[in-house]
Amino acid sequence: MQDHITPLTGRNSHTQNIVFIWRFAECQQNKATYHLVIAHTENEARSMLPNLSLVFTARIRVGVTHA
């Protein structure tokens, strides 16, 4: 599954503290279970849910405020 990682724009000193809520679906038979993880990258988020067959469904930036 390493070939199917959603790219994250480059991290540098200004973006290294940005975190996202990553949402994955685990599909089994006729139902889907959704998992939410807070992490910097998709790889980091997937590593928190080992041994699950997951489908990426959303990346939501945390801490964004709009004026």
Side-chain angles (χ1 to χ4, degrees):
M1 197 64 162
Q2 292 295 331
D3 296 340
H4 303 286
I5 301 301
T6 304
L8 179 63
T9 55
R11 291 175 68 191
N12 58 39
S13 61
H14 298 291
T15 62
Q16 66 185 354
N17 293 326
I18 297 173
V19 293
F20 298 91
I21 296 173
W22 298 86
R23 188 173 85 166
F24 300 96
E26 177 186 17
C27 302
Q28 294 181 353
Q29 307 221 327
N30 292 330
K31 71 173 189 172
T33 303
Y34 292 93
H35 302 275
L36 299 175
V37 177
I38 297 176
H40 293 281
T41 66
E42 184 177 357
N43 280 339
E44 182 183 351
R46 285 181 181 274
S47 72
M48 294 179 195
L49 300 167
N51 303 321
L52 296 177
S53 189
L54 302 171
V55 176
F56 169 81
T57 59
R59 180 182 78 177
I60 305 161
R61 188 171 173 176
V62 176
V64 177
T65 57
H66 299 281

